[in-house]
Amino acid sequence: MTVSFTVPGEPQGKGRPRFSSRNGRTFTHTPEKTVLYENLVATEYDIQADGYRFPDGAMIGIQVCAYYSIPKSASKRKQAAMQAGDIKPTKKPDADNILKCIADSLNGIAYRDDAQIVTATIEKLYSDVPRVEVTLFDWT
């Protein structure tokens, strides 16, 4: 089984957890921007994949293509090279943080736990339409 879906907008990575302490106890919370993006990913998956869930014992592969918007400040020649894929983004968020955010977002929705992911690829590209394209497949 293969499932593909697209998350519109600029790619976002997993934000670092924030810590606070009250009355000698330490609390951890995820930044609101990360929570909102993870909810967007989960919602888009649910809509576009018709709520398909991989079996609990399945070995899953994931492919992620993160498309960043082309900077308006770049020269026409550079913009054309970015569009053609000759220049790729070397800016934040890091590829591993994007993958982590997508994988965590799908916990309990597309699969039981992201520990089921046995192979992963991620690519960062430029496009006129910023988005993240995700493909999940049964690796067995």
Side-chain angles (χ1 to χ4, degrees):
M1 178 66 175
T2 299
V3 178
S4 296
F5 69 102
T6 302
V7 182
E10 287 291 332
Q12 291 186 30
K14 181 86 171 182
R16 295 192 184 278
R18 303 293 177 216
F19 301 96
S20 60
S21 58
R22 275 181 252 137
N23 300 327
R25 294 184 58 195
T26 302
F27 298 92
T28 307
H29 52 278
T30 305
E32 185 177 346
K33 186 176 177 184
T34 299
V35 171
L36 291 173
Y37 191 71
E38 287 179 342
N39 288 337
L40 174 64
V41 171
T43 302
E44 291 298 332
Y45 177 84
D46 215 20
I47 293 168
Q48 296 176 41
D50 292 327
Y52 178 79
R53 184 176 164 129
F54 287 86
D56 286 353
M59 293 183 283
I60 300 169
I62 186 170
Q63 295 174 331
V64 177
C65 288
Y67 293 90
Y68 291 78
S69 55
I70 297 172
K72 302 223 184 296
S73 60
S75 67
K76 296 280 186 198
R77 172 182 271 164
K78 204 169 187 178
Q79 286 182 9
M82 290 173 173
Q83 186 71 41
D86 297 333
I87 298 176
K88 296 187 179 186
T90 56
K91 61 183 187 175
K92 299 232 180 230
D94 299 347
D96 59 328
N97 284 336
I98 296 169
L99 181 62
K100 179 75 174 151
C101 190
I102 298 292
D104 285 352
S105 300
L106 299 174
N107 274 340
I109 297 166
Y111 38 73
R112 178 184 43 79
D113 188 71
D114 59 354
Q116 291 178 257
I117 297 173
V118 296
T119 185
T121 59
I122 182 163
E123 187 173 14
K124 291 167 57 173
L125 301 162
Y126 282 111
S127 173
D128 291 330
V129 183
R131 66 196 181 280
V132 177
E133 294 179 355
V134 182
T135 302
L136 298 167
F137 56 92
D138 193 335
W139 193 76
T140 52

